[in-house]
Amino acid sequence: MAIDTTTAVTGPETAAPSGSVPPSTSVPHSPADARLSRRAKLVLFVLCAAQFMVALDFSVLNVALPTLGTDLGLSRSALQWAVTAFALPSGGFLLLFGRIADLFGRKKLFLTGLALFGAASLLATLAWDPASFLTGRALQGLGAAVIVPTGMSLLTTTFPEGPQRDKALGISGTLLSLGFTIGMVLGGVMTDTLGWRSTMGLLVAFAAVVLALAPGLLPESRTPERPRLDVPGAVTVTGGLLAVIYSLSTAAQRGFGGVDVWGTLLVGIALLAAFVIVESKAAAPLVSLPMLKRRTVAWGNVGGLVTFSMMSTVVFVLTLYLQETLGLSSFETGLVFGIQGIASAVAGTYAARLIGRFGSRRVLAVSLLGQGVFIAALLGLGSHSGVLLATVAVSLASMCHLGAIISYGVTVTSGVPDEEQGLATGLVTTTQQIGLTVGIPLLGVLATTQSSLFDGVRTVLAIDAGVVIAAAALVAVGLGLRKRAA
């Protein structure tokens, strides 16, 4: 559904269904096409505020990790569980809750997720030992698994495809990046002045405000039909994602040699394979396999997975490098990432325009390439100096990362009918959360388990840059950019 919006037309490189008008014949847009009514702006504000809150949750603890570890008794190698305990359920349950919202009402589920998130944040604030804290983080992740796909599907069904949706996704992506970065700054200030618990208390207040505003502003949205929920698909995909993410996270602490690690990983892979079989035969599948065959959906999500997993790893290892190698305080570390946030905000103001001019697929490939190049520049960091280089390079990499975030969201959701937007946005946000989850366990472990943290950080950065640059080339080929250029 759309509220007080003008008629949308297909934009450049919009991925339309088979048989529709090709991108080369798209109609040019005027600036008026992207204008939003006052009510549409208020709806966008509430939805973006919720996404901002989730991003804030992920990042506000980053610079507080060393202090939190000392207070609660978490070792350096176990610190990643403060991140993973949140990302494990948020990544594992996204598809399920995205589909439930499609069937039974996105607004109702969105409000339920907000309430759960606020209560979980209160538990994390009052945590008395590692178990209670990680339980709160896990419940926060479960709340995020409800908020993120329902919020995104409310956004994409409220704003019609074209300039308005591109603008809405651009603002959402910018605030997502800002939430992550502002969280780093606030985390540093609050940890140094009020202690790490204040970072979780901030989320309690934030959730309460958003929950108070949302009911009166958000429209209800669901699919016209009420097909049965694909229970076998839900069980296999959720179990598979949880098993795979858990095994990778456990490997960060104990390595990949444990039987339980490999056993859980194999179970996860088997469940995901079963999920594919179930979906190919289900009358009302949780994930439409034909949707996954869309070039834009498949390769757009590959780009999203890489940009999130590799950038989250860079932030994690740079936090350790700045504090433990260079000796910066939590506040000083937060300032470094604050500059990064300003750079991301600048990128966000231009991303939608670039997508409108060059198309989301081209912007995605170029953004990934830029992200990889600037991460490679971080290899020039020294063991006694490097604050300036770290600030400049991570800021430029984040600008490209922001471009990749927005363009992959537009790429994946374009051309998808409203009744399947929950599925499409569920895939987008599942990719996001899995990326945030697997990057740190897979690569962060190389930095935290080596005898020299500095050498470990350099190793991680080299691998990270190589993966992103390679992904840029693969995405460009997969999305047919070379063919179109020819």
mmCIF file with all atom_site columns, all heavy atoms in Angstrom, residues 455-480:
data_model
loop_
_atom_site.group_PDB
_atom_site.id
_atom_site.type_symbol
_atom_site.label_atom_id
_atom_site.label_alt_id
_atom_site.label_comp_id
_atom_site.label_asym_id
_atom_site.label_entity_id
_atom_site.label_seq_id
_atom_site.pdbx_PDB_ins_code
_atom_site.Cartn_x
_atom_site.Cartn_y
_atom_site.Cartn_z
_atom_site.occupancy
_atom_site.B_iso_or_equiv
_atom_site.pdbx_formal_charge
_atom_site.auth_seq_id
_atom_site.auth_comp_id
_atom_site.auth_asym_id
_atom_site.auth_atom_id
_atom_site.pdbx_PDB_model_num
ATOM 1   N N   . ASP A 1 455 ? 49.919 -8.057  14.413  1.00 0.00 ? 455 ASP A N   1
ATOM 2   C CA  . ASP A 1 455 ? 50.077 -8.935  13.245  1.00 0.00 ? 455 ASP A CA  1
ATOM 3   C C   . ASP A 1 455 ? 48.743 -9.562  12.859  1.00 0.00 ? 455 ASP A C   1
ATOM 4   O O   . ASP A 1 455 ? 48.442 -9.732  11.673  1.00 0.00 ? 455 ASP A O   1
ATOM 5   C CB  . ASP A 1 455 ? 51.101 -10.035 13.545  1.00 0.00 ? 455 ASP A CB  1
ATOM 6   C CG  . ASP A 1 455 ? 52.516 -9.480  13.659  1.00 0.00 ? 455 ASP A CG  1
ATOM 7   O OD1 . ASP A 1 455 ? 52.766 -8.369  13.140  1.00 0.00 ? 455 ASP A OD1 1
ATOM 8   O OD2 . ASP A 1 455 ? 53.369 -10.147 14.277  1.00 0.00 ? 455 ASP A OD2 1
ATOM 9   N N   . GLY A 1 456 ? 47.952 -9.913  13.852  1.00 0.00 ? 456 GLY A N   1
ATOM 10  C CA  . GLY A 1 456 ? 46.650 -10.499 13.570  1.00 0.00 ? 456 GLY A CA  1
ATOM 11  C C   . GLY A 1 456 ? 45.734 -9.525  12.856  1.00 0.00 ? 456 GLY A C   1
ATOM 12  O O   . GLY A 1 456 ? 45.012 -9.891  11.918  1.00 0.00 ? 456 GLY A O   1
ATOM 13  N N   . VAL A 1 457 ? 45.769 -8.245  13.274  1.00 0.00 ? 457 VAL A N   1
ATOM 14  C CA  . VAL A 1 457 ? 44.947 -7.221  12.632  1.00 0.00 ? 457 VAL A CA  1
ATOM 15  C C   . VAL A 1 457 ? 45.341 -7.047  11.172  1.00 0.00 ? 457 VAL A C   1
ATOM 16  O O   . VAL A 1 457 ? 44.490 -6.962  10.275  1.00 0.00 ? 457 VAL A O   1
ATOM 17  C CB  . VAL A 1 457 ? 45.068 -5.883  13.394  1.00 0.00 ? 457 VAL A CB  1
ATOM 18  C CG1 . VAL A 1 457 ? 44.465 -4.739  12.585  1.00 0.00 ? 457 VAL A CG1 1
ATOM 19  C CG2 . VAL A 1 457 ? 44.389 -5.990  14.753  1.00 0.00 ? 457 VAL A CG2 1
ATOM 20  N N   . ARG A 1 458 ? 46.649 -7.025  10.892  1.00 0.00 ? 458 ARG A N   1
ATOM 21  C CA  . ARG A 1 458 ? 47.107 -6.870  9.510   1.00 0.00 ? 458 ARG A CA  1
ATOM 22  C C   . ARG A 1 458 ? 46.679 -8.062  8.649   1.00 0.00 ? 458 ARG A C   1
ATOM 23  O O   . ARG A 1 458 ? 46.294 -7.890  7.484   1.00 0.00 ? 458 ARG A O   1
ATOM 24  C CB  . ARG A 1 458 ? 48.638 -6.714  9.478   1.00 0.00 ? 458 ARG A CB  1
ATOM 25  C CG  . ARG A 1 458 ? 49.120 -5.344  9.936   1.00 0.00 ? 458 ARG A CG  1
ATOM 26  C CD  . ARG A 1 458 ? 50.648 -5.274  9.902   1.00 0.00 ? 458 ARG A CD  1
ATOM 27  N NE  . ARG A 1 458 ? 51.172 -5.620  8.595   1.00 0.00 ? 458 ARG A NE  1
ATOM 28  C CZ  . ARG A 1 458 ? 51.288 -4.762  7.574   1.00 0.00 ? 458 ARG A CZ  1
ATOM 29  N NH1 . ARG A 1 458 ? 50.896 -3.502  7.734   1.00 0.00 ? 458 ARG A NH1 1
ATOM 30  N NH2 . ARG A 1 458 ? 51.793 -5.145  6.426   1.00 0.00 ? 458 ARG A NH2 1
ATOM 31  N N   . THR A 1 459 ? 46.742 -9.249  9.207   1.00 0.00 ? 459 THR A N   1
ATOM 32  C CA  . THR A 1 459 ? 46.317 -10.434 8.464   1.00 0.00 ? 459 THR A CA  1
ATOM 33  C C   . THR A 1 459 ? 44.837 -10.346 8.105   1.00 0.00 ? 459 THR A C   1
ATOM 34  O O   . THR A 1 459 ? 44.424 -10.622 6.978   1.00 0.00 ? 459 THR A O   1
ATOM 35  C CB  . THR A 1 459 ? 46.576 -11.707 9.294   1.00 0.00 ? 459 THR A CB  1
ATOM 36  O OG1 . THR A 1 459 ? 47.975 -11.825 9.564   1.00 0.00 ? 459 THR A OG1 1
ATOM 37  C CG2 . THR A 1 459 ? 46.096 -12.954 8.547   1.00 0.00 ? 459 THR A CG2 1
ATOM 38  N N   . VAL A 1 460 ? 44.035 -9.957  9.084   1.00 0.00 ? 460 VAL A N   1
ATOM 39  C CA  . VAL A 1 460 ? 42.589 -9.838  8.861   1.00 0.00 ? 460 VAL A CA  1
ATOM 40  C C   . VAL A 1 460 ? 42.293 -8.793  7.794   1.00 0.00 ? 460 VAL A C   1
ATOM 41  O O   . VAL A 1 460 ? 41.466 -9.008  6.892   1.00 0.00 ? 460 VAL A O   1
ATOM 42  C CB  . VAL A 1 460 ? 41.868 -9.476  10.179  1.00 0.00 ? 460 VAL A CB  1
ATOM 43  C CG1 . VAL A 1 460 ? 40.419 -9.102  9.915   1.00 0.00 ? 460 VAL A CG1 1
ATOM 44  C CG2 . VAL A 1 460 ? 41.932 -10.647 11.153  1.00 0.00 ? 460 VAL A CG2 1
ATOM 45  N N   . LEU A 1 461 ? 42.967 -7.643  7.863   1.00 0.00 ? 461 LEU A N   1
ATOM 46  C CA  . LEU A 1 461 ? 42.715 -6.575  6.898   1.00 0.00 ? 461 LEU A CA  1
ATOM 47  C C   . LEU A 1 461 ? 43.088 -7.000  5.486   1.00 0.00 ? 461 LEU A C   1
ATOM 48  O O   . LEU A 1 461 ? 42.381 -6.652  4.518   1.00 0.00 ? 461 LEU A O   1
ATOM 49  C CB  . LEU A 1 461 ? 43.484 -5.321  7.297   1.00 0.00 ? 461 LEU A CB  1
ATOM 50  C CG  . LEU A 1 461 ? 43.019 -4.619  8.576   1.00 0.00 ? 461 LEU A CG  1
ATOM 51  C CD1 . LEU A 1 461 ? 43.969 -3.479  8.941   1.00 0.00 ? 461 LEU A CD1 1
ATOM 52  C CD2 . LEU A 1 461 ? 41.602 -4.091  8.420   1.00 0.00 ? 461 LEU A CD2 1
ATOM 53  N N   . ALA A 1 462 ? 44.180 -7.741  5.337   1.00 0.00 ? 462 ALA A N   1
ATOM 54  C CA  . ALA A 1 462 ? 44.600 -8.195  4.009   1.00 0.00 ? 462 ALA A CA  1
ATOM 55  C C   . ALA A 1 462 ? 43.568 -9.147  3.406   1.00 0.00 ? 462 ALA A C   1
ATOM 56  O O   . ALA A 1 462 ? 43.190 -9.024  2.232   1.00 0.00 ? 462 ALA A O   1
ATOM 57  C CB  . ALA A 1 462 ? 45.967 -8.872  4.095   1.00 0.00 ? 462 ALA A CB  1
ATOM 58  N N   . ILE A 1 463 ? 43.112 -10.107 4.209   1.00 0.00 ? 463 ILE A N   1
ATOM 59  C CA  . ILE A 1 463 ? 42.099 -11.053 3.727   1.00 0.00 ? 463 ILE A CA  1
ATOM 60  C C   . ILE A 1 463 ? 40.801 -10.321 3.405   1.00 0.00 ? 463 ILE A C   1
ATOM 61  O O   . ILE A 1 463 ? 40.159 -10.560 2.373   1.00 0.00 ? 463 ILE A O   1
ATOM 62  C CB  . ILE A 1 463 ? 41.856 -12.151 4.775   1.00 0.00 ? 463 ILE A CB  1
ATOM 63  C CG1 . ILE A 1 463 ? 43.128 -12.983 4.982   1.00 0.00 ? 463 ILE A CG1 1
ATOM 64  C CG2 . ILE A 1 463 ? 40.700 -13.053 4.358   1.00 0.00 ? 463 ILE A CG2 1
ATOM 65  C CD1 . ILE A 1 463 ? 43.022 -13.981 6.120   1.00 0.00 ? 463 ILE A CD1 1
ATOM 66  N N   . ASP A 1 464 ? 40.421 -9.426  4.301   1.00 0.00 ? 464 ASP A N   1
ATOM 67  C CA  . ASP A 1 464 ? 39.185 -8.663  4.151   1.00 0.00 ? 464 ASP A CA  1
ATOM 68  C C   . ASP A 1 464 ? 39.170 -7.900  2.823   1.00 0.00 ? 464 ASP A C   1
ATOM 69  O O   . ASP A 1 464 ? 38.204 -7.963  2.052   1.00 0.00 ? 464 ASP A O   1
ATOM 70  C CB  . ASP A 1 464 ? 39.068 -7.686  5.322   1.00 0.00 ? 464 ASP A CB  1
ATOM 71  C CG  . ASP A 1 464 ? 37.663 -7.136  5.510   1.00 0.00 ? 464 ASP A CG  1
ATOM 72  O OD1 . ASP A 1 464 ? 37.180 -6.491  4.576   1.00 0.00 ? 464 ASP A OD1 1
ATOM 73  O OD2 . ASP A 1 464 ? 37.076 -7.342  6.582   1.00 0.00 ? 464 ASP A OD2 1
ATOM 74  N N   . ALA A 1 465 ? 40.253 -7.158  2.556   1.00 0.00 ? 465 ALA A N   1
ATOM 75  C CA  . ALA A 1 465 ? 40.332 -6.374  1.323   1.00 0.00 ? 465 ALA A CA  1
ATOM 76  C C   . ALA A 1 465 ? 40.254 -7.269  0.095   1.00 0.00 ? 465 ALA A C   1
ATOM 77  O O   . ALA A 1 465 ? 39.557 -6.951  -0.883  1.00 0.00 ? 465 ALA A O   1
ATOM 78  C CB  . ALA A 1 465 ? 41.630 -5.566  1.301   1.00 0.00 ? 465 ALA A CB  1
ATOM 79  N N   . GLY A 1 466 ? 40.956 -8.403  0.124   1.00 0.00 ? 466 GLY A N   1
ATOM 80  C CA  . GLY A 1 466 ? 40.939 -9.325  -1.012  1.00 0.00 ? 466 GLY A CA  1
ATOM 81  C C   . GLY A 1 466 ? 39.552 -9.874  -1.296  1.00 0.00 ? 466 GLY A C   1
ATOM 82  O O   . GLY A 1 466 ? 39.126 -9.980  -2.457  1.00 0.00 ? 466 GLY A O   1
ATOM 83  N N   . VAL A 1 467 ? 38.820 -10.214 -0.233  1.00 0.00 ? 467 VAL A N   1
ATOM 84  C CA  . VAL A 1 467 ? 37.469 -10.763 -0.395  1.00 0.00 ? 467 VAL A CA  1
ATOM 85  C C   . VAL A 1 467 ? 36.534 -9.725  -1.020  1.00 0.00 ? 467 VAL A C   1
ATOM 86  O O   . VAL A 1 467 ? 35.763 -10.033 -1.935  1.00 0.00 ? 467 VAL A O   1
ATOM 87  C CB  . VAL A 1 467 ? 36.912 -11.229 0.974   1.00 0.00 ? 467 VAL A CB  1
ATOM 88  C CG1 . VAL A 1 467 ? 35.417 -11.541 0.871   1.00 0.00 ? 467 VAL A CG1 1
ATOM 89  C CG2 . VAL A 1 467 ? 37.665 -12.458 1.454   1.00 0.00 ? 467 VAL A CG2 1
ATOM 90  N N   . VAL A 1 468 ? 36.604 -8.469  -0.555  1.00 0.00 ? 468 VAL A N   1
ATOM 91  C CA  . VAL A 1 468 ? 35.698 -7.438  -1.062  1.00 0.00 ? 468 VAL A CA  1
ATOM 92  C C   . VAL A 1 468 ? 35.997 -7.108  -2.522  1.00 0.00 ? 468 VAL A C   1
ATOM 93  O O   . VAL A 1 468 ? 35.079 -6.966  -3.344  1.00 0.00 ? 468 VAL A O   1
ATOM 94  C CB  . VAL A 1 468 ? 35.782 -6.162  -0.197  1.00 0.00 ? 468 VAL A CB  1
ATOM 95  C CG1 . VAL A 1 468 ? 34.854 -5.086  -0.750  1.00 0.00 ? 468 VAL A CG1 1
ATOM 96  C CG2 . VAL A 1 468 ? 35.404 -6.470  1.241   1.00 0.00 ? 468 VAL A CG2 1
ATOM 97  N N   . ILE A 1 469 ? 37.265 -7.003  -2.868  1.00 0.00 ? 469 ILE A N   1
ATOM 98  C CA  . ILE A 1 469 ? 37.629 -6.699  -4.259  1.00 0.00 ? 469 ILE A CA  1
ATOM 99  C C   . ILE A 1 469 ? 37.203 -7.828  -5.186  1.00 0.00 ? 469 ILE A C   1
ATOM 100 O O   . ILE A 1 469 ? 36.663 -7.595  -6.283  1.00 0.00 ? 469 ILE A O   1
ATOM 101 C CB  . ILE A 1 469 ? 39.138 -6.417  -4.373  1.00 0.00 ? 469 ILE A CB  1
ATOM 102 C CG1 . ILE A 1 469 ? 39.471 -5.106  -3.641  1.00 0.00 ? 469 ILE A CG1 1
ATOM 103 C CG2 . ILE A 1 469 ? 39.567 -6.343  -5.830  1.00 0.00 ? 469 ILE A CG2 1
ATOM 104 C CD1 . ILE A 1 469 ? 40.959 -4.828  -3.522  1.00 0.00 ? 469 ILE A CD1 1
ATOM 105 N N   . ALA A 1 470 ? 37.416 -9.068  -4.755  1.00 0.00 ? 470 ALA A N   1
ATOM 106 C CA  . ALA A 1 470 ? 36.987 -10.210 -5.570  1.00 0.00 ? 470 ALA A CA  1
ATOM 107 C C   . ALA A 1 470 ? 35.469 -10.225 -5.724  1.00 0.00 ? 470 ALA A C   1
ATOM 108 O O   . ALA A 1 470 ? 34.937 -10.508 -6.808  1.00 0.00 ? 470 ALA A O   1
ATOM 109 C CB  . ALA A 1 470 ? 37.468 -11.517 -4.927  1.00 0.00 ? 470 ALA A CB  1
ATOM 110 N N   . ALA A 1 471 ? 34.756 -9.900  -4.646  1.00 0.00 ? 471 ALA A N   1
ATOM 111 C CA  . ALA A 1 471 ? 33.291 -9.873  -4.702  1.00 0.00 ? 471 ALA A CA  1
ATOM 112 C C   . ALA A 1 471 ? 32.807 -8.797  -5.662  1.00 0.00 ? 471 ALA A C   1
ATOM 113 O O   . ALA A 1 471 ? 31.802 -8.984  -6.366  1.00 0.00 ? 471 ALA A O   1
ATOM 114 C CB  . ALA A 1 471 ? 32.720 -9.635  -3.310  1.00 0.00 ? 471 ALA A CB  1
ATOM 115 N N   . ALA A 1 472 ? 33.485 -7.656  -5.702  1.00 0.00 ? 472 ALA A N   1
ATOM 116 C CA  . ALA A 1 472 ? 33.096 -6.587  -6.626  1.00 0.00 ? 472 ALA A CA  1
ATOM 117 C C   . ALA A 1 472 ? 33.133 -7.078  -8.067  1.00 0.00 ? 472 ALA A C   1
ATOM 118 O O   . ALA A 1 472 ? 32.213 -6.802  -8.857  1.00 0.00 ? 472 ALA A O   1
ATOM 119 C CB  . ALA A 1 472 ? 34.020 -5.382  -6.445  1.00 0.00 ? 472 ALA A CB  1
ATOM 120 N N   . ALA A 1 473 ? 34.188 -7.824  -8.409  1.00 0.00 ? 473 ALA A N   1
ATOM 121 C CA  . ALA A 1 473 ? 34.298 -8.349  -9.772  1.00 0.00 ? 473 ALA A CA  1
ATOM 122 C C   . ALA A 1 473 ? 33.206 -9.379  -10.058 1.00 0.00 ? 473 ALA A C   1
ATOM 123 O O   . ALA A 1 473 ? 32.583 -9.367  -11.127 1.00 0.00 ? 473 ALA A O   1
ATOM 124 C CB  . ALA A 1 473 ? 35.682 -8.975  -9.962  1.00 0.00 ? 473 ALA A CB  1
ATOM 125 N N   . LEU A 1 474 ? 32.945 -10.264 -9.101  1.00 0.00 ? 474 LEU A N   1
ATOM 126 C CA  . LEU A 1 474 ? 31.931 -11.301 -9.294  1.00 0.00 ? 474 LEU A CA  1
ATOM 127 C C   . LEU A 1 474 ? 30.524 -10.697 -9.422  1.00 0.00 ? 474 LEU A C   1
ATOM 128 O O   . LEU A 1 474 ? 29.726 -11.136 -10.253 1.00 0.00 ? 474 LEU A O   1
ATOM 129 C CB  . LEU A 1 474 ? 31.966 -12.293 -8.130  1.00 0.00 ? 474 LEU A CB  1
ATOM 130 C CG  . LEU A 1 474 ? 33.198 -13.202 -8.059  1.00 0.00 ? 474 LEU A CG  1
ATOM 131 C CD1 . LEU A 1 474 ? 33.182 -14.008 -6.763  1.00 0.00 ? 474 LEU A CD1 1
ATOM 132 C CD2 . LEU A 1 474 ? 33.241 -14.129 -9.266  1.00 0.00 ? 474 LEU A CD2 1
ATOM 133 N N   . VAL A 1 475 ? 30.232 -9.712  -8.588  1.00 0.00 ? 475 VAL A N   1
ATOM 134 C CA  . VAL A 1 475 ? 28.926 -9.073  -8.642  1.00 0.00 ? 475 VAL A CA  1
ATOM 135 C C   . VAL A 1 475 ? 28.734 -8.347  -9.977  1.00 0.00 ? 475 VAL A C   1
ATOM 136 O O   . VAL A 1 475 ? 27.650 -8.388  -10.575 1.00 0.00 ? 475 VAL A O   1
ATOM 137 C CB  . VAL A 1 475 ? 28.748 -8.101  -7.457  1.00 0.00 ? 475 VAL A CB  1
ATOM 138 C CG1 . VAL A 1 475 ? 27.550 -7.187  -7.658  1.00 0.00 ? 475 VAL A CG1 1
ATOM 139 C CG2 . VAL A 1 475 ? 28.599 -8.885  -6.158  1.00 0.00 ? 475 VAL A CG2 1
ATOM 140 N N   . ALA A 1 476 ? 29.778 -7.687  -10.449 1.00 0.00 ? 476 ALA A N   1
ATOM 141 C CA  . ALA A 1 476 ? 29.694 -6.991  -11.734 1.00 0.00 ? 476 ALA A CA  1
ATOM 142 C C   . ALA A 1 476 ? 29.371 -7.963  -12.862 1.00 0.00 ? 476 ALA A C   1
ATOM 143 O O   . ALA A 1 476 ? 28.514 -7.697  -13.714 1.00 0.00 ? 476 ALA A O   1
ATOM 144 C CB  . ALA A 1 476 ? 31.003 -6.256  -12.025 1.00 0.00 ? 476 ALA A CB  1
ATOM 145 N N   . VAL A 1 477 ? 30.038 -9.112  -12.861 1.00 0.00 ? 477 VAL A N   1
ATOM 146 C CA  . VAL A 1 477 ? 29.781 -10.124 -13.885 1.00 0.00 ? 477 VAL A CA  1
ATOM 147 C C   . VAL A 1 477 ? 28.398 -10.734 -13.692 1.00 0.00 ? 477 VAL A C   1
ATOM 148 O O   . VAL A 1 477 ? 27.625 -10.906 -14.648 1.00 0.00 ? 477 VAL A O   1
ATOM 149 C CB  . VAL A 1 477 ? 30.868 -11.217 -13.851 1.00 0.00 ? 477 VAL A CB  1
ATOM 150 C CG1 . VAL A 1 477 ? 30.509 -12.362 -14.805 1.00 0.00 ? 477 VAL A CG1 1
ATOM 151 C CG2 . VAL A 1 477 ? 32.222 -10.630 -14.216 1.00 0.00 ? 477 VAL A CG2 1
ATOM 152 N N   . GLY A 1 478 ? 28.065 -11.068 -12.442 1.00 0.00 ? 478 GLY A N   1
ATOM 153 C CA  . GLY A 1 478 ? 26.789 -11.710 -12.163 1.00 0.00 ? 478 GLY A CA  1
ATOM 154 C C   . GLY A 1 478 ? 25.589 -10.843 -12.511 1.00 0.00 ? 478 GLY A C   1
ATOM 155 O O   . GLY A 1 478 ? 24.555 -11.351 -12.950 1.00 0.00 ? 478 GLY A O   1
ATOM 156 N N   . LEU A 1 479 ? 25.720 -9.532  -12.347 1.00 0.00 ? 479 LEU A N   1
ATOM 157 C CA  . LEU A 1 479 ? 24.626 -8.616  -12.668 1.00 0.00 ? 479 LEU A CA  1
ATOM 158 C C   . LEU A 1 479 ? 24.630 -8.178  -14.125 1.00 0.00 ? 479 LEU A C   1
ATOM 159 O O   . LEU A 1 479 ? 23.810 -7.361  -14.539 1.00 0.00 ? 479 LEU A O   1
ATOM 160 C CB  . LEU A 1 479 ? 24.692 -7.380  -11.762 1.00 0.00 ? 479 LEU A CB  1
ATOM 161 C CG  . LEU A 1 479 ? 24.372 -7.628  -10.282 1.00 0.00 ? 479 LEU A CG  1
ATOM 162 C CD1 . LEU A 1 479 ? 24.563 -6.349  -9.474  1.00 0.00 ? 479 LEU A CD1 1
ATOM 163 C CD2 . LEU A 1 479 ? 22.949 -8.149  -10.111 1.00 0.00 ? 479 LEU A CD2 1
ATOM 164 N N   . GLY A 1 480 ? 25.571 -8.716  -14.895 1.00 0.00 ? 480 GLY A N   1
ATOM 165 C CA  . GLY A 1 480 ? 25.581 -8.454  -16.336 1.00 0.00 ? 480 GLY A CA  1
ATOM 166 C C   . GLY A 1 480 ? 26.081 -7.085  -16.724 1.00 0.00 ? 480 GLY A C   1
ATOM 167 O O   . GLY A 1 480 ? 25.754 -6.589  -17.805 1.00 0.00 ? 480 GLY A O   1
#
